[in-house]
Amino acid sequence: MDDLYREIIIEHYKNPGFRGELDPNDYTYEDENPVCGDHIRVDIRVNDSGIVTEAKYSGHGCAISQASADLLMEAIIGKKVEDVKKLTKQDVLDLLGIELGAVRLKCALLPLKVVKAGVYGVGKESELSDLD
Amino acid sequence: MDDLYREIIIEHYKNPGFRGELDPNDYTYEDENPVCGDHIRVDIRVNDSGIVTEAKYSGHGCAISQASADLLMEAIIGKKVEDVKKLTKQDVLDLLGIELGAVRLKCALLPLKVVKAGVYGVGKESELSDLD
Amino acid sequence: MSVDFSKYKQDFPILSREVHPGKKLIYLDSTASTQKPQIVLDAMDDYYHRHNANIHRGVYTISEEATELYENARAKVARFIHAPSARSIVFTRNTTESINLVAFTWGRKNLKENDLVLLTELEHHSNIVPWQILVQEKKIRIEFIPVLPDGILDMNAYKNLLEKKPKLVAFAHMSNVLGTITPVKEMTTLAHQVGAIVLIDGAQSVPHLPVDIQDIDAEFLAFSAHKMCGPTGIGALYGKFDLLNEMPPFLGGGDMIRKVTFEGFSTNDVPAKFEAGTPAIAEAVGFGAAIDYLSSIGMEEIAKHEQEIALYGLRRLEESGGIKVIGPHNQRGGVLAFDMSGIHPHDVAQILDSEGIAVRAGHHCAQPLHIKFGLPATTRASFYLYNSKEDVDSLIKGLDKVKMMFD
Amino acid sequence: MSVDFSKYKQDFPILSREVHPGKKLIYLDSTASTQKPQIVLDAMDDYYHRHNANIHRGVYTISEEATELYENARAKVARFIHAPSARSIVFTRNTTESINLVAFTWGRKNLKENDLVLLTELEHHSNIVPWQILVQEKKIRIEFIPVLPDGILDMNAYKNLLEKKPKLVAFAHMSNVLGTITPVKEMTTLAHQVGAIVLIDGAQSVPHLPVDIQDIDAEFLAFSAHKMCGPTGIGALYGKFDLLNEMPPFLGGGDMIRKVTFEGFSTNDVPAKFEAGTPAIAEAVGFGAAIDYLSSIGMEEIAKHEQEIALYGLRRLEESGGIKVIGPHNQRGGVLAFDMSGIHPHDVAQILDSEGIAVRAGHHCAQPLHIKFGLPATTRASFYLYNSKEDVDSLIKGLDKVKMMFD
Ligand SMILES: Cc1ncc(COP(=O)(O)O)c(C=O)c1O
Ligand SMILES: Cc1ncc(COP(=O)(O)O)c(C=O)c1O
């Protein structure tokens, strides 16, 4: 448990580095976790070489989803969009450094789900199904 | 069990005294047991003083329902219609001389239900409910 | 003389489980589903060990026994809510199916375009969505009786809404979030004065309060066994017999018919008409045993016990600082939903879990109510006969830990 | 090498009960409902003793465990019928509800006036009445694929009927009266050629035969846990994922929604979309345990064992005189329905009961089939893995007693 609320999570939750919105942006998407109503929006800017230059998230949620979002923004900046598409559940768990039960996993993965839906364009359910 | 198939039941089943139909008649009714599809029709003639002079049953069913019908016809002949209306579940069980579980009880009581529905006229559910 | 409830805890084997090393389960989520006393599990085991068979059509001994056990359970349910007869009780899967049954049968037959259904703002999704489906299908209209800031229904608004002549008024007897106990009898009488039918969602009241449905006089009452010490997989719908009798059937299949030919079917008598297919037989037996168990303690006593814990919990939570409990301050059931500003309910619940304390976090299937209160989610602690004031003390200690971590 | 089935009998505690003094239960009614092995009851007890909590929305330990147990059961059901994914499995109460779910959702959306649904003459009421309800509601048409005198479907007639371009073909994989095993794969292929959707009533096949739904390729498959060593109160519907995805929801309420506001709702993902309210959680756990049990023995082996008993029983009944078994002589499941001329099935069953033998008497929820065969009712003996040839011998002895009494 105290594992679950590792300092890094509480820290990113309390002092986020990437909260906010970007307007204009190149990719934007928002979604929520039906279990708890947590809501996340992500805005992304990329440069001509398809590299993420800026990323911000907004919305509300638990420490795990918010820390996950903050860590994820940090992680994708500087990455190629093509590489962002390849990010997996495990990558997020590695960022957080914790293991999670099924319910909280949804919290942790919501930001990645939103990012992927954003860069793929909406509705590519099949490509996102590995997040469930 | 051998109690259940007392000689009197097997006897009335095999050698019924009151099988048949009456046409014309004063009361006639038929119904079935939805559990098994057993079907009983009863025809009754009464005289001017309201006394049952003839009664016959037809249809098909198990030994218990058929014996019950045969015994019941025998019992109501000579009775006033008003007294027939008063017959109860216990009266039928006394005729049969057995005790029965819920499912077979429906077999035993089907003839009485048909007789009562006949003399009351259809649809007097409330007056018949003591048979359930 | 008040009953000593501490002795009942030992009837529930799960309550001696350690969920984490050294942390015994402190179960504060009975509003979602209650724990089961051993006696209920024994009743089901005995059924499977001695009497298990399909019912109604079996001539052999164990099938007759199973039929009798099943129908006895129905009679127990009827007596428990003071229904006039067992024929008024339909077994369903849960409260949700009970309400849907009414929407699919009574509703589809009697509601037409523009007909008004009144609900309240504190309803569980189970008493909202079935009616919204009828909005889509038949263009009926729904209006919501407002909840005042203190969690009480706005009775003046209700009276005004009744002037629009609703066909149906459907509402929870107790809110699963606010703990509000609604004035069911008064509301029913008022609804009847304008000719409306009344459906009561008793998911939270039947398990926790004495309920006399004939006194309330509502047409329908829905509830679930799993919220009242009974098994999952079974619930009940009470309906006034004459209404049930006139309603079209629900699902089609075995047992609900009188006769089937290639050309068509005729329906069986109430309540069989609404119970298509093999029902939850063992679960009915467990439901009956749960009712015996609750009755042996007494619903008045249970309600009093829970009320005491709830009021104690309310006071302790408010004293502890930084916590806002929603809902009324008196006349409430044993449900305490609260907000800790800045700390998400999921985090609260997860940290409490590490202490063995089970509470719910989320919108508790009452999203519209949460929208109304401006909270996406709350943390909810709820109590039943096996809880005690010590459980509240543990909760408060756990919440202190939560605050510390997020400080 | 064939498996020795006699050892499995001891897994079923009820089979050592004496129903009358000195008369042990000889259970020959598994087609109606099967007995449960101790291991299934233990799984449910363990659930209630250690993990019981409402699922999906709980953040605390036992709720996460309960969720996992519930979803694992779904995965087991999927694997058992070789479904491509657990997402294709919806939990229902029983076969009847599974079929009704399709009629209420897929049917109401896709069938319109004059659309044709093909059934067969050997269907159980559960696969007739839901479609007759749609005849009343939407004026669809039903035609029945005939059964030949030997209990086999008339495949030529089927092919002719297909030329009328039915929208749906729905039929039992195994008849619960005749024991007929229908050529599901061939029938599905033929139906698909004319663009029809196929629903298979697997109530009798999934418990008794190896079933590979991807190989058969039907769109829907319905079955019940209580007929396959599992508890009452739970069943399943398999559906092709894309179809399930497009279907409107069934019942409205908690868990089937993504979001609810005062204005409306949006639905959750498949299969949650079809599971409104608290599901039969303990029963799902028991269902999973039943599947583990059956798999540990092997469905091929079970089918072979039953076939052997059925063919032995068929021969003994026909040799015994005065008894006519209906249904095919080979390629049949372990169901023997028969007529004893002049003796009513109720009397037969009741006298057998006095010997501890449980058989069913009646129309077995297949009235139209009985009308077709000119029999108001039959007596039915059916077998499962815990039966043996000695049970058949006891049956024959019991029937001799019946004949003697009515002689
Ligand atoms: C072929 C068939 N279909 C459907 C059913 C109905 O099953 P349930 O009562 O579990 O819904 C049965 C059960 O007798 C059956 O044999
Ligand atoms: C007020 C209320 N109504 C309905 C329900 C739904 O009950 P079930 O899930 O047993 O159908 C609940 C359960 O949370 C409830 O609290």
Side-chain angles (χ1 to χ4, degrees):
Chain A
M1 202 309 294
D2 292 322
D3 290 352
L4 202 52
Y5 288 85
R6 290 172 69 233
E7 226 162 274
I8 182 172
I9 289 174
I10 298 282
E11 191 49 38
H12 277 269
Y13 176 64
K14 285 200 211 157
N15 303 308
F18 301 89
R19 265 199 89 87
E21 300 184 0
L22 297 173
D23 187 13
N25 54 51
D26 297 293
Y27 298 108
T28 182
Y29 195 72
E30 53 193 312
D31 199 359
E32 58 193 59
N33 181 343
V35 175
C36 54
D38 282 5
H39 189 104
I40 292 229
R41 168 175 158 176
V42 169
D43 299 327
I44 295 173
R45 282 187 189 145
V46 297
N47 66 15
D48 293 347
S49 342
I51 289 173
V52 175
T53 55
E54 282 179 88
K56 297 254 185 213
Y57 73 98
S58 50
H60 54 83
C62 62
I64 304 229
S65 72
Q66 300 294 298
S68 169
D70 209 54
L71 286 158
L72 188 63
M73 297 304 105
E74 188 169 37
I76 65 175
I77 292 172
K79 272 210 168 55
K80 286 200 159 174
V81 169
E82 285 316 303
D83 293 331
V84 170
K85 286 184 182 173
K86 286 184 201 132
L87 288 172
T88 64
K89 164 174 149 181
Q90 196 50 53
D91 292 326
V92 171
L93 294 181
D94 290 346
L95 287 174
L96 290 164
I98 50 175
E99 292 202 21
L100 288 166
V103 174
R104 303 312 304 280
L105 201 55
K106 292 210 170 139
C107 307
L109 296 181
L110 179 63
L112 179 59
K113 212 173 154 188
V114 171
V115 164
K116 284 200 164 190
V119 295
Y120 268 114
V122 190
K124 296 249 183 174
E125 267 284 348
S126 57
E127 323 224 18
L128 298 173
S129 63
D130 59 321
L131 292 182
D132 277 345
Chain B
M1 202 307 294
D2 293 320
D3 290 351
L4 204 50
Y5 288 84
R6 289 172 69 233
E7 228 162 90
I8 182 171
I9 290 174
I10 298 282
E11 191 47 38
H12 277 270
Y13 177 62
K14 286 200 211 156
N15 303 307
F18 301 89
R19 264 199 90 85
E21 300 186 359
L22 296 173
D23 189 10
N25 55 51
D26 296 294
Y27 299 108
T28 182
Y29 195 70
E30 53 193 312
D31 199 359
E32 60 193 57
N33 181 343
V35 173
C36 55
D38 283 4
H39 189 103
I40 293 232
R41 169 176 157 174
V42 169
D43 299 327
I44 294 172
R45 284 188 189 144
V46 297
N47 65 15
D48 292 346
S49 343
I51 288 174
V52 176
T53 53
E54 281 179 88
K56 297 254 186 216
Y57 74 98
S58 51
H60 54 83
C62 61
I64 306 238
S65 73
Q66 300 294 298
S68 169
D70 209 53
L71 285 159
L72 188 62
M73 296 305 104
E74 187 171 36
I76 64 175
I77 292 172
K79 273 211 167 58
K80 288 200 158 175
V81 169
E82 284 316 302
D83 292 332
V84 171
K85 285 184 181 174
K86 285 184 200 131
L87 288 172
T88 64
K89 163 173 149 181
Q90 196 50 52
D91 292 325
V92 171
L93 294 181
D94 289 347
L95 287 174
L96 290 164
I98 52 175
E99 292 203 20
L100 288 167
V103 174
R104 301 315 302 281
L105 202 55
K106 293 209 169 140
C107 307
L109 295 181
L110 180 61
L112 179 59
K113 212 173 155 189
V114 172
V115 164
K116 284 202 166 188
V119 296
Y120 268 115
V122 189
K124 294 249 181 174
E125 267 283 350
S126 55
E127 323 223 18
L128 299 172
S129 63
D130 59 324
L131 293 183
D132 278 344
Chain C
M1 261 246 329
S2 100
V3 180
D4 174 17
F5 271 76
S6 64
K7 65 178 179 213
Y8 298 124
K9 193 161 178 171
Q10 72 204 39
D11 297 339
F12 296 81
I14 200 172
L15 296 180
S16 52
R17 174 176 169 192
E18 291 190 354
V19 282
H20 303 293
K23 305 286 182 186
K24 263 204 193 165
L25 176 62
I26 295 172
Y27 188 71
L28 301 179
D29 195 21
S30 294
T31 293
S33 198
T34 66
Q35 298 305 335
K36 323 302 173 199
Q38 186 61 41
I39 209 171
V40 165
L41 307 182
D42 288 346
M44 291 192 286
D45 267 342
D46 182 62
Y47 168 78
Y48 282 126
H49 280 155
R50 297 185 47 79
H51 313 291
N52 176 65
N54 216 325
I55 57 171
H56 288 319
R57 288 162 191 280
V59 172
Y60 53 87
T61 304
I62 60 171
S63 174
E64 295 228 340
E65 290 168 352
T67 305
E68 198 171 315
L69 285 165
Y70 182 74
E71 293 302 332
N72 275 353
R74 194 195 301 280
K76 286 178 188 181
V77 172
R79 278 196 298 277
F80 190 68
I81 59 163
H82 299 91
S85 137
R87 297 193 299 174
S88 282
I89 303 296
V90 179
F91 281 128
T92 60
R93 180 171 35 244
N94 50 29
T95 304
T96 304
E97 194 189 25
S98 297
I99 297 173
N100 277 273
L101 193 162
V102 176
F104 270 88
T105 60
W106 182 88
R108 277 204 173 74
K109 182 171 170 195
N110 294 287
L111 296 176
K112 46 184 202 310
E113 190 166 340
N114 276 322
D115 277 352
L116 179 63
V117 167
L118 281 193
L119 308 175
T120 84
E121 287 182 345
L122 56 70
E123 296 312 308
H124 187 278
H125 294 165
S126 292
N127 196 27
I128 301 176
V129 181
W131 310 112
Q132 290 181 334
I133 291 177
L134 288 186
V135 171
Q136 295 175 354
E137 265 193 42
K138 313 204 69 173
K139 301 203 169 66
I140 67 161
R141 288 176 308 126
I142 295 175
E143 296 209 38
F144 292 88
I145 305 164
V147 175
L148 296 170
D150 63 353
I152 300 287
L153 290 182
D154 183 339
M155 289 296 281
N156 284 329
Y158 176 45
K159 286 171 196 160
N160 291 335
L161 284 167
L162 284 176
E163 291 180 7
K164 302 190 185 182
K165 299 261 185 258
K167 287 281 187 327
L168 173 78
V169 184
F171 53 92
H173 193 170
M174 189 200 294
S175 160
N176 68 323
V177 178
L178 302 168
T180 313
I181 297 170
T182 59
V184 279
K185 191 172 172 182
E186 184 188 350
M187 289 175 74
T188 301
T189 305
L190 290 169
H192 285 169
Q193 281 167 8
V194 300
I197 291 286
V198 174
L199 178 147
I200 295 178
D201 173 350
Q204 295 305 333
S205 61
V206 175
H208 297 282
L209 305 173
V211 173
D212 182 334
I213 189 60
Q214 284 191 87
D215 179 53
I216 298 168
D217 199 31
E219 275 68 23
F220 297 108
L221 175 68
F223 48 105
S224 301
H226 73 94
K227 293 187 196 279
M228 48 194 288
C229 293
T232 52
I234 193 161
L237 173 69
Y238 158 86
K240 284 190 181 169
F241 183 77
D242 291 342
L243 266 176
L244 292 178
N245 213 21
E246 285 166 20
M247 274 151 56
F250 182 35
L251 308 185
D255 281 339
M256 56 69 72
I257 55 91
R258 178 175 297 280
K259 195 167 182 166
V260 180
T261 65
F262 290 118
E263 288 71 40
F265 68 95
S266 58
T267 54
N268 203 338
D269 297 334
V270 170
K273 177 165 90 174
F274 300 108
E275 296 180 0
T278 305
I281 309 170
E283 291 72 17
V285 173
F287 196 176
I291 282 176
D292 287 342
Y293 179 75
L294 293 175
S295 305
S296 75
I297 301 175
M299 292 309 295
E300 296 276 4
E301 295 296 337
I302 291 172
K304 217 173 90 191
H305 173 73
E306 288 174 23
Q307 187 101 6
E308 254 174 56
I309 302 178
L311 293 181
Y312 176 70
L314 185 59
R315 182 166 64 74
R316 291 291 314 266
L317 283 171
E318 295 194 328
E319 282 170 8
S320 88
I323 292 179
K324 193 178 159 1
V325 180
I326 57 176
H329 268 71
N330 31 42
Q331 257 283 38
R332 66 180 295 149
V335 187
L336 298 170
F338 56 90
D339 180 50
M340 292 175 80
S341 51
I343 312 179
H344 192 282
H346 267 188
D347 297 318
V348 177
Q350 184 104 40
I351 294 166
L352 289 177
D353 178 61
S354 68
E355 300 296 314
I357 303 166
V359 298
R360 231 135 271 210
H363 53 58
H364 319 301
C365 295
Q367 254 182 326
L369 180 70
H370 278 81
I371 294 169
K372 165 95 179 192
F373 276 80
L375 298 165
T378 52
T379 307
R380 182 185 72 186
S382 58
F383 311 104
Y384 208 21
L385 59 101
Y386 38 69
N387 292 116
S388 61
K389 288 186 183 169
E390 288 80 65
D391 294 339
V392 171
D393 296 338
S394 305
L395 172 67
I396 299 293
K397 243 169 80 186
L399 291 173
D400 287 341
K401 184 175 168 195
V402 172
K403 290 180 206 164
M404 227 180 56
M405 289 191 64
F406 277 87
D407 196 28
Chain D
M1 261 245 329
S2 97
V3 181
D4 173 18
F5 271 76
S6 64
K7 67 179 176 208
Y8 298 124
K9 193 161 177 170
Q10 72 203 38
D11 296 340
F12 296 81
I14 201 173
L15 296 179
S16 52
R17 175 179 167 188
E18 292 189 354
V19 280
H20 302 294
K23 306 285 181 189
K24 261 203 195 166
L25 177 61
I26 296 174
Y27 188 71
L28 301 181
D29 195 22
S30 294
T31 294
S33 198
T34 66
Q35 297 306 335
K36 324 300 174 199
Q38 186 61 42
I39 210 170
V40 166
L41 306 182
D42 288 346
M44 291 193 284
D45 267 342
D46 182 62
Y47 168 78
Y48 281 127
H49 280 155
R50 297 186 46 80
H51 313 291
N52 175 66
N54 215 325
I55 57 171
H56 287 318
R57 288 161 192 281
V59 172
Y60 52 88
T61 304
I62 60 170
S63 175
E64 296 227 337
E65 291 167 352
T67 305
E68 199 171 313
L69 285 165
Y70 182 74
E71 294 302 331
N72 275 352
R74 196 194 301 280
K76 286 177 188 182
V77 172
R79 277 195 300 277
F80 190 68
I81 59 162
H82 299 90
S85 137
R87 295 194 300 173
S88 282
I89 303 296
V90 180
F91 281 127
T92 61
R93 179 170 36 245
N94 49 29
T95 304
T96 303
E97 194 188 24
S98 298
I99 296 173
N100 277 274
L101 194 161
V102 177
F104 270 89
T105 60
W106 181 87
R108 278 207 170 73
K109 183 172 170 195
N110 294 287
L111 295 176
K112 48 184 199 312
E113 190 167 341
N114 276 322
D115 277 353
L116 179 62
V117 167
L118 281 193
L119 308 175
T120 84
E121 288 182 343
L122 56 69
E123 296 313 307
H124 187 279
H125 294 165
S126 293
N127 196 26
I128 301 177
V129 181
W131 310 112
Q132 288 181 335
I133 291 177
L134 289 186
V135 172
Q136 295 175 354
E137 264 193 41
K138 312 203 71 174
K139 301 202 169 64
I140 66 161
R141 288 177 308 125
I142 295 176
E143 296 209 39
F144 291 88
I145 305 164
V147 175
L148 296 170
D150 64 353
I152 300 287
L153 290 182
D154 183 341
M155 290 296 281
N156 284 330
Y158 176 45
K159 285 170 197 158
N160 290 336
L161 284 167
L162 284 176
E163 290 180 7
K164 302 191 185 181
K165 298 262 185 258
K167 287 282 186 332
L168 173 78
V169 184
F171 53 93
H173 192 170
M174 188 199 295
S175 161
N176 68 322
V177 177
L178 303 168
T180 313
I181 297 169
T182 59
V184 278
K185 192 173 172 181
E186 184 188 350
M187 288 176 74
T188 301
T189 306
L190 290 168
H192 284 170
Q193 282 167 8
V194 300
I197 292 286
V198 175
L199 178 146
I200 294 178
D201 174 352
Q204 296 304 335
S205 61
V206 175
H208 298 281
L209 305 172
V211 173
D212 182 335
I213 190 61
Q214 285 190 87
D215 179 52
I216 298 169
D217 200 30
E219 275 68 24
F220 297 108
L221 175 68
F223 48 105
S224 301
H226 72 94
K227 293 188 196 280
M228 47 193 290
C229 293
T232 52
I234 192 159
L237 174 69
Y238 159 86
K240 284 191 180 168
F241 182 77
D242 291 344
L243 265 177
L244 291 178
N245 214 19
E246 285 166 19
M247 274 150 58
F250 182 36
L251 308 184
D255 280 339
M256 55 70 70
I257 55 90
R258 178 176 297 278
K259 195 166 179 168
V260 180
T261 66
F262 290 118
E263 288 72 39
F265 68 94
S266 57
T267 53
N268 203 339
D269 296 333
V270 171
K273 178 167 86 174
F274 299 108
E275 296 179 0
T278 305
I281 309 170
E283 291 72 18
V285 172
F287 197 176
I291 282 175
D292 287 342
Y293 179 74
L294 293 175
S295 304
S296 75
I297 302 174
M299 291 309 295
E300 297 276 3
E301 295 296 338
I302 291 172
K304 218 173 90 194
H305 172 74
E306 288 173 22
Q307 187 101 5
E308 256 173 55
I309 302 178
L311 293 181
Y312 176 70
L314 185 58
R315 182 165 63 73
R316 291 293 312 269
L317 283 172
E318 295 194 327
E319 282 169 10
S320 88
I323 292 178
K324 194 181 158 359
V325 180
I326 57 176
H329 267 71
N330 33 43
Q331 257 283 38
R332 66 180 296 151
V335 187
L336 297 171
F338 55 90
D339 179 48
M340 292 176 80
S341 51
I343 312 180
H344 192 283
H346 267 188
D347 297 319
V348 177
Q350 185 104 39
I351 294 166
L352 289 176
D353 178 61
S354 67
E355 300 295 314
I357 302 167
V359 299
R360 211 125 280 233
H363 52 57
H364 319 301
C365 293
Q367 254 183 324
L369 180 70
H370 278 82
I371 294 170
K372 165 98 177 187
F373 276 80
L375 298 165
T378 52
T379 307
R380 183 185 72 188
S382 57
F383 311 105
Y384 208 20
L385 60 101
Y386 37 69
N387 292 116
S388 61
K389 289 186 183 167
E390 288 80 65
D391 294 338
V392 171
D393 297 337
S394 305
L395 172 67
I396 299 293
K397 243 172 77 189
L399 291 173
D400 288 341
K401 181 171 170 198
V402 171
K403 290 181 206 161
M404 224 181 57
M405 290 191 64
F406 277 86
D407 197 24

